[in-house]
Amino acid sequence: MHITDLPHWQRQKMAVIERLHRDLARYTDPIFQIVLFAAVTYLPCFGLLMISGAVPVGALAALLVISTAVLVIASPAFALAITIEAYFRRHIAQLPRPASHGSK
């Protein structure tokens, strides 16, 4: 029997991976929120522009430019954050859940 097969080892491994996921979520969650806010701002402005067919002026143009710039600048960080989240979710799902002590 290998030490890695022991239930205690598996619980420790799961705890470490979940802790790393929570620690990195402090950095990935704000990226998701920034991109979501920029997309929620961009899509209605762009939709209004497409429906009206007019050249955007004033506040609409400013919102469109700012949200586009945020989306373009944040896209590499967004791709990295998605990759990190997918990696941890996949590893957490693959870990065997240890049996609880109370069940017989």
Side-chain angles (χ1 to χ4, degrees), residues 73-87:
I73 291 170
S75 62
F78 183 66
L80 182 62
I82 287 175
T83 305
I84 289 170
E85 283 292 318
Y87 174 82

Side-chain angles (χ1 to χ4, degrees), residues 30-92:
I31 293 169
F32 290 138
Q33 292 171 358
I34 289 169
V35 170
L36 177 67
F37 183 73
V40 166
T41 305
Y42 175 80
L43 288 175
C45 292
F46 187 74
L48 186 61
L49 176 68
M50 287 293 111
I51 291 172
S52 69
V55 176
V57 289
L60 180 65
L63 282 174
L64 199 57
V65 168
I66 291 170
S67 60
T68 303
V70 168
L71 288 172
V72 169
I73 291 170
S75 62
F78 183 66
L80 182 62
I82 287 175
T83 305
I84 289 170
E85 283 292 318
Y87 174 82
F88 279 110
R89 289 185 188 263
R90 185 174 56 246
H91 278 290
I92 289 172

